[in-house]
Amino acid sequence: PDGTVALFDRFRANVRRAQQANVILPLPATSVVALRLLASLADRALAPRPQVIYLDSAHEEGEVLLELGLAWAAVAPGGIVFGDDWILPREGYDGDGPVQRDVLRFAELHASELDDAFGPRVQPMRTLGRARPGLFVSYLSFQWFMRKRPDAPD
């Protein structure tokens, strides 16, 4: 009734039609389960680490931080982790939200692993602001971006 199955089927059909099935792995699982699976497969050399991970978290403080930690462990050095809802507007809203607080907290904890040169390299493609070293936010979409340094440990 909510369209989830139809949406997933459409996504898989689009992946096949674009001939990208060999590089895109759709996982119908919670983010925690999927991220742990990806890291486990990579740790056992059964699959490469993903180059890009997109998070659409549940907007609960702490949950975003948990998902970010799992995504960071799974993504390849030089890979990108990004997500949306940097600021999720709502009536009477004044200040930052749980996504923003957790992403900022994560960026602070992992500052030495963040590629601060990432933003200027992609600046011509998007309107990005630098929220802190290594953390960039689109002014247009309120998506946030972090790139793991290529020399960061696996």
Side-chain angles (χ1 to χ4, degrees), residues 44-119:
R44 293 183 288 150
L46 297 173
R49 292 195 177 279
Q51 292 295 313
V52 177
I53 296 177
Y54 178 80
L55 296 177
D56 187 9
S57 295
H59 311 124
E60 294 295 327
E61 191 135 7
E63 186 171 354
V64 177
L65 190 61
L66 169 68
E67 290 178 356
L68 260 171
L70 293 170
W72 203 250
V75 75
I80 296 169
V81 175
F82 73 112
D84 62 3
D85 300 328
W86 175 252
I87 297 177
L88 189 62
R90 62 182 181 268
E91 191 173 324
Y93 183 72
D94 183 28
D96 56 2
V99 171
Q100 188 178 104
R101 285 191 297 271
D102 277 359
V103 171
L104 285 166
R105 190 173 302 128
F106 180 87
E108 181 179 351
L109 292 170
H110 294 270
S112 66
E113 301 168 47
L114 299 178
D115 181 359
D116 196 41
F118 168 65

Side-chain angles (χ1 to χ4, degrees), residues 25 27 34 48 76 85 92 99 105 113 115 117 122 127 138 153-154:
L25 176 63
L27 295 173
D85 300 328
V99 171
R105 190 173 302 128
E113 301 168 47
D115 181 359
V122 298
T127 306
S138 167
D154 246 351

Side-chain angles (χ1 to χ4, degrees), residues 128-147:
L128 293 179
R130 183 174 177 246
R132 62 167 289 126
L135 172 60
F136 302 90
V137 178
S138 167
Y139 297 125
L140 301 175
S141 65
F142 296 107
Q143 292 177 318
W144 50 267
F145 302 82
M146 288 184 277
R147 181 174 185 250

